[in-house]
Amino acid sequence: MTGIPDMRSIIVNQRSQQSQQLQQTQQSLVLHIKQCFDSLPRQVRLAASFVLDHPHEVAVMSMREQARLAGIPPSTMTRLAKFLGLEGYDDIREVFKNNLRSRGNEYSQRAHGLVELNQKIGETALALDVANNAIAHIQALCSADTLAAIVRAVKILSSARHIYCLGLRSSFPVAFQFSHVSEYFARNITLIDGAGESGMMKIMHQVGPKDALFVCCIAPYSRRAVSIAGHLAKAGAKLIAITDSASSPIARMATETILVGKKNASFFDTLVPAFLVSEILVALMAATSKVDVKTSVSETEKNLWSMGEWWGAEEAEPPRPRIPRK
């Protein structure tokens, strides 16, 4: 086939290329598959379609797992690689894996772009752009499919014997907020916190099919969060996942997945949509709860006041900031 030697050469030298070159390599392979697609045998076309439609799975899943999802024998994946002039399917996977690894410096690249954008449009326009982007993500949550997933998720959480809450690294605030607000009226909430391994002993021995896990995991995905979620899934717990991709490792093991947007003009991904979903879930849990939510919330507030957790009107005025003399 024409162009095959060049494709082999690209793959051999791939590990030493920079991020932009790796992206171009994946694009070249995808283009190569598209160009050959109509000439492929019918079953091999199924393998090719899987590669084109599920790039994340190609990078992170084994060939056998991919073949199972595509509904074809593993040997068909190898046949695809041979038709493309490659030695085996691992060559295809290596392209996608390297492209995934190259995203490790994505934040630094976006930080540079953020500075350039500010220089072009100014602070006010940049702030408006960030805000409008968050609004667009929130509007996307109003789709019928997303709202239906939220309602189904609430039914699972409300019927659970115990709800474990998980979110690590940048996703931790979402899990903490869900846990914190839920505990105003629910007594079956455990936050799995990395500090001091809080909650870890419970999940090692006590989780079962009657329990649920609320988990937020946004790319780049926390390896530890995926591992903990996998442990709970094997124990039979139902996973309610807030994530950014249907092909994320958390989504693939979840009972119910709620997808949220994350991109914005800043170098760091926004958590606004994930926070909103967690708040909607808690609101619906409270609205449909079988316990006396009003009494439970009132008792919680009373206890927090009595413990001195909140600043009250009877407290002395906080110190005022000093105003420098001119």
Side-chain angles (χ1 to χ4, degrees):
M1 290 182 190
T2 59
I4 292 172
D6 291 338
M7 182 59 63
R8 291 189 185 215
S9 175
I10 290 173
I11 293 173
V12 169
N13 297 315
Q14 203 175 59
R15 290 187 181 275
S16 63
Q17 295 175 340
Q18 299 298 317
S19 174
Q20 186 176 3
Q21 291 173 310
L22 286 166
Q23 177 65 29
Q24 184 61 39
T25 299
Q26 180 169 321
Q27 292 175 350
S28 299
L29 179 56
V30 167
L31 178 61
H32 189 48
I33 294 173
K34 289 180 178 179
Q35 291 173 339
C36 298
F37 191 86
D38 291 336
S39 63
L40 297 174
R42 183 183 63 83
Q43 198 169 35
V44 177
R45 262 182 273 168
L46 295 176
S49 295
F50 183 88
V51 172
L52 295 175
D53 296 339
H54 303 88
H56 186 84
E57 282 86 344
V58 173
V60 301
M61 299 177 71
S62 70
M63 183 181 73
R64 290 187 177 277
E65 289 177 314
Q66 294 178 45
R68 180 179 58 80
L69 290 177
I72 54 179
S75 59
T76 306
M77 311 300 279
T78 303
R79 289 176 63 199
L80 170 63
K82 296 292 186 181
F83 272 102
L84 296 174
L86 306 174
E87 293 184 4
Y89 191 70
D90 281 346
D91 287 342
I92 295 177
R93 292 190 63 230
E94 196 65 20
V95 172
F96 286 83
K97 285 166 64 178
N98 280 340
N99 182 60
L100 191 62
R101 293 189 192 107
S102 73
R103 298 178 188 174
N105 61 351
E106 184 178 0
Y107 286 161
S108 62
Q109 293 172 355
R110 285 161 58 182
H112 179 71
L114 176 66
V115 173
E116 288 187 339
L117 182 61
N118 179 60
Q119 292 172 346
K120 290 179 181 179
I121 66 177
E123 287 99 338
T124 301
L126 178 58
L128 184 61
D129 189 37
V130 172
N132 284 334
N133 187 271
I135 292 171
H137 284 316
I138 291 172
Q139 288 176 332
L141 295 177
C142 298
S143 69
D145 289 344
T146 300
L147 293 176
I150 289 174
V151 171
R152 291 193 299 268
V154 169
K155 291 180 179 179
I156 294 173
L157 292 169
S158 297
S159 62
R161 176 183 62 184
H162 202 91
I163 301 174
Y164 297 89
C165 307
L166 174 64
L168 300 181
R169 302 190 66 79
S170 63
S171 296
F172 175 75
V174 179
F176 177 84
Q177 176 73 351
F178 177 88
S179 171
H180 172 70
V181 180
S182 296
E183 288 182 321
Y184 268 79
F185 61 90
R187 301 294 179 262
N188 62 337
I189 308 294
T190 295
L191 175 66
I192 303 173
D193 188 355
E197 300 299 310
S198 173
M200 287 300 296
M201 298 306 291
K202 281 188 177 181
I203 70 171
M204 286 176 64
H205 308 295
Q206 301 179 14
V207 179
K210 294 182 180 180
D211 302 316
L213 171 68
F214 168 88
V215 54
C216 179
C217 192
I218 309 294
Y221 308 111
S222 163
R223 185 181 297 274
R224 183 164 171 78
V226 174
S227 176
I228 294 173
H231 174 80
L232 269 68
K234 288 181 180 178
K238 298 177 178 64
L239 270 60
I240 305 301
I242 298 178
T243 187
D244 59 313
S245 172
S247 63
S248 74
I250 290 292
R252 294 202 302 273
M253 66 177 85
T255 307
E256 199 64 60
T257 300
I258 303 166
L259 297 178
V260 295
K262 63 169 187 171
K263 296 295 185 182
N264 65 11
S266 180
F267 75 93
F268 209 78
D269 298 324
T270 179
L271 286 176
V272 170
F275 268 115
L276 181 56
V277 169
S278 72
E279 292 177 359
I280 293 173
L281 289 173
V282 175
L284 293 181
M285 285 170 59
T288 60
S289 177
K290 295 179 181 179
V291 304
D292 187 344
V293 173
K294 180 179 179 181
T295 300
S296 296
V297 172
S298 178
E299 289 178 353
T300 302
E301 285 183 310
K302 182 180 178 180
N303 290 333
L304 288 171
W305 278 115
S306 66
M307 293 169 62
E309 286 294 314
W310 292 331
W311 185 274
E314 71 281 0
E315 305 282 353
E317 289 191 10
R320 298 178 181 275
R322 292 185 178 181
I323 301 176
R325 295 179 179 179
K326 294 184 179 179

